[in-house]
Amino acid sequence: MTLMAVGVLMTTYDLGTRDARAAQPGGAPAGGPPPPSAYGMRAQMAPGDRQHNANSGEALFSNRCGACHFDWGMGTNLITKQQVMMGNPPAMGLIANRDDLTADYVKAVVRMGKGAMPRQTRVDITDSELEAVAAYLGKGK
């Protein structure tokens, strides 16, 4: 019984000190929540007709592909392993860093899938959006 009371008191004290730290000016308390992941910080899309895309290829890549192809995404982890085995630096695991991709290759992989990447339908990413993403990743090739 005494042990239970001590546990309740410690929990109450801990919650009270957390609330006091959070109320202090100057931002989040030490030990607060971690910063959002990269895919949580994806670009916002301009409202409007997705068939007539007004967004940049970089913003579309961020929004449509970032969950898997930003830092710590499943696609990045798999591609990084492949790139390192081929003797390339780990930074080449981020497909936005690659300079060996062509726009046609990007479009083919997106529409048909490859390895663990499922094919993306025209609902997932429209043809005009894919054109912009492919031009961005293909670096104009």
Side-chain angles (χ1 to χ4, degrees):
M1 182 74 166
T2 305
L3 224 44
M4 192 163 127
V6 169
V8 169
L9 284 174
M10 288 177 65
T11 302
T12 304
Y13 172 77
D14 186 43
L15 290 174
T17 57
R18 272 192 234 155
D19 291 341
R21 286 184 295 175
Q24 293 175 357
S37 59
Y39 64 84
M41 301 297 292
R42 293 184 291 178
Q44 295 296 313
M45 296 288 92
D49 183 5
R50 289 181 58 207
Q51 297 298 325
H52 302 94
N53 173 44
N55 296 291
S56 72
E58 183 176 11
L60 285 162
F61 172 75
S62 169
N63 189 274
R64 302 284 190 263
C65 313
C68 294
H69 290 290
F70 275 176
D71 285 337
W72 306 109
M74 181 180 185
T76 298
N77 292 339
L78 295 172
I79 293 170
T80 299
K81 288 176 189 175
Q82 293 171 348
Q83 290 294 313
V84 169
M85 288 191 307
M86 293 172 22
N88 295 324
M92 292 297 104
L94 287 168
I95 62 174
N97 291 344
R98 304 265 302 266
D99 60 4
D100 60 336
L101 302 174
T102 65
D104 288 339
Y105 177 77
V106 171
K107 289 188 274 188
V109 169
V110 168
R111 288 292 182 234
M112 296 171 26
K114 181 179 180 194
M117 180 177 164
R119 67 182 192 85
Q120 303 298 300
T121 68
R122 285 175 175 83
V123 173
D124 299 320
I125 183 168
T126 67
D127 287 338
S128 67
E129 291 171 335
L130 181 54
E131 286 291 332
V133 169
Y136 166 67
L137 292 176
K139 310 293 188 258
K141 293 182 242 166

